[in-house]
């Protein structure tokens, strides 16, 4: 009897935590902003529990935060392989398609999500934006290098890593640095702003005017109105109060000079 009790005690000490416990711990790490540690925990748990839908959804959301859209896509697709009409996975994939400019594919995924869960306000908000983009895609115009503003006129804060100022139709006015993918980045920023505005509107909170987007190495601050959108990116160690002061100063000057 004593030996059996000791054996049960030893086995209990060696027992591995369940997937649910690991995922709860990863969620706490996510709430603390420790995204990479959380993602590593989830990936390890999924090795032992590869058919866990909750785990794959959590992995996908963490990869989205880390701007790892390829890995997020894989996680969402694994969810759909297990549960083909999972609404959150369909919404997640739809957002990736929208960012990649695949608006028709985005609409198709959202239609599937709403067929499963008609009362899904986030999916409806994104679908409204996607359909609007489909209707106006042929009319969109983008700035060319001939219309770029020279950097020495901008007087951007020395701490900023990137700056983007665009009109509501995604026309690029200021882009520092200006790169081959600048137009695509501008179009994606406008799309995401419209998605956020639609979702905030449904919640009765009004249009998007300010946002803070945290990534692993930098933080991007956004300012917008109905006519234009500005983003400034800084290192993660920049104080938020200082970054917001820069954002408002640049916003006022750009609106008066370029809008």
């Amino acid at each position: 009897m004593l030996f059996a009790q000791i054996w049960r005690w030893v086995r209990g000490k060696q027992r591995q935590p369940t997937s649910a416990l690991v995922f709860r711990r990863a969620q706490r790490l996510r709430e603390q902003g420790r995204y990479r540690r959380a993602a590593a925990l989830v990936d390890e748990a999924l090795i032992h529990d590869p058919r866990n839908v909750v785990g794959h959804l959590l992995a996908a959301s963490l990869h989205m935060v880390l701007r790892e859209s390829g890995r997020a896509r894989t996680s969402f697709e694994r969810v759909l392989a297990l549960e083909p009409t999972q609404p959150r996975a369909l919404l997640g994939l739809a957002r990736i398609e929208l960012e990649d400019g695949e608006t028709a594919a985005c609409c198709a995924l959202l239609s599937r999500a709403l067929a499963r869960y008609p009362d899904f306000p986030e999916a409806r908000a994104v679908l409204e934006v996607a359909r609007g983009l489909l209707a106006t895609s042929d009319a969109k115009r983008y700035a060319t290098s001939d219309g770029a503003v020279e950097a020495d006129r901008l007087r951007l804060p020395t701490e900023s890593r990137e700056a983007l100022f665009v009109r509501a139709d995604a026309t690029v006015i200021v882009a520092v640095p200006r790169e081959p993918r600048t137009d695509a980045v501008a179009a994606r920023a406008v799309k995401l702003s419209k998605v956020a505005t639609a979702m905030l509107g449904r919640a009765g909170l009004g249009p998007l005017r300010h946002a803070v987007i945290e990534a692993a190495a930098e933080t991007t601050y956004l300012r917008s109105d109905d006519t234009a959108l500005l983003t400034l990116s800084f290192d993660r160690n920049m104080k938020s109060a200082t970054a917001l002061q820069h954002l408002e100063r640049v916003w006022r000057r750009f609106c008066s000079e370029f809008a």
Side-chain angles (χ1 to χ4, degrees):
M1 177 66 71
L2 179 60
F3 176 79
Q5 290 176 342
I6 292 173
W7 177 244
R8 284 196 296 272
W9 178 80
V10 170
R11 289 187 63 187
K13 286 289 185 181
Q14 294 176 339
R15 188 175 296 122
Q16 296 294 319
T18 64
S19 297
L21 288 174
V22 174
F23 296 147
R24 282 199 290 271
R25 183 183 175 193
Q27 185 60 44
R28 288 195 295 271
L29 289 170
R30 175 182 176 169
E31 292 166 358
Q32 297 167 8
R34 300 168 64 186
Y35 305 121
R36 292 207 176 275
R37 177 56 181 152
L41 272 181
V42 173
D43 289 344
E44 183 177 353
L46 286 171
I47 292 174
H48 304 287
D49 190 4
R51 298 183 61 81
N52 193 301
V53 169
V54 172
H56 286 300
L57 282 173
L58 181 54
S61 68
L62 287 164
H63 292 315
M64 290 291 283
V65 171
L66 293 167
R67 296 188 180 182
E68 299 170 344
S69 59
R71 299 187 67 183
R73 179 188 289 276
T74 298
S75 294
F76 284 131
E77 288 173 347
R78 285 173 178 164
V79 172
L80 295 176
L82 298 168
E83 189 178 330
T85 58
Q86 215 293 329
R88 284 285 168 190
L90 290 166
L91 174 62
L93 270 182
R95 285 174 167 162
I96 293 174
E97 297 289 9
L98 188 63
E99 289 185 17
D100 289 346
E102 301 295 336
T103 313
C106 169
C107 290
L109 288 163
L110 292 169
S111 296
R112 287 172 57 191
L114 289 165
R116 163 74 183 274
Y117 179 28
D119 187 16
F120 195 177
E122 292 175 72
R124 290 199 177 278
V126 177
L127 183 58
E128 287 178 11
V129 173
R131 283 175 173 169
L133 291 169
L134 273 179
T136 60
S137 59
D138 291 339
K140 285 194 172 183
R141 295 179 296 105
Y142 301 108
T144 65
S145 58
D146 295 336
V149 179
E150 294 183 6
D152 58 1
R153 291 180 52 196
L154 302 178
R155 302 195 305 277
L156 292 170
T158 56
E159 303 94 333
S160 65
R161 299 177 60 171
E162 295 180 357
L164 182 66
F165 185 63
V166 300
R167 293 200 178 102
D169 66 352
T171 299
V172 176
I173 307 301
V174 172
V176 178
R178 180 140 191 136
E179 299 175 330
R181 296 193 69 254
T182 292
D183 287 343
V185 171
R188 183 171 64 179
V190 170
K191 286 180 185 178
L192 293 177
S193 176
K194 289 181 178 179
V195 169
T197 292
M199 294 174 66
L200 290 170
R202 283 184 171 271
L205 299 175
L208 178 72
R209 290 294 179 255
H210 293 84
V212 179
I213 306 163
E214 292 189 349
E218 64 184 22
T219 301
T220 299
Y221 295 82
L222 179 148
R223 178 75 164 89
S224 68
D225 63 13
D226 295 336
T227 63
L229 179 148
L230 168 70
T231 63
L232 289 179
S233 298
F234 299 92
D235 288 335
R236 286 289 299 271
N237 58 7
M238 167 67 77
K239 292 183 178 179
S240 294
T242 302
L244 289 170
Q245 288 176 356
H246 286 315
L247 183 73
E248 289 302 317
R249 176 181 60 79
V250 174
W251 170 259
R252 288 193 297 270
R253 187 164 56 78
F254 279 15
C255 284
S256 64
E257 184 173 355
F258 303 122

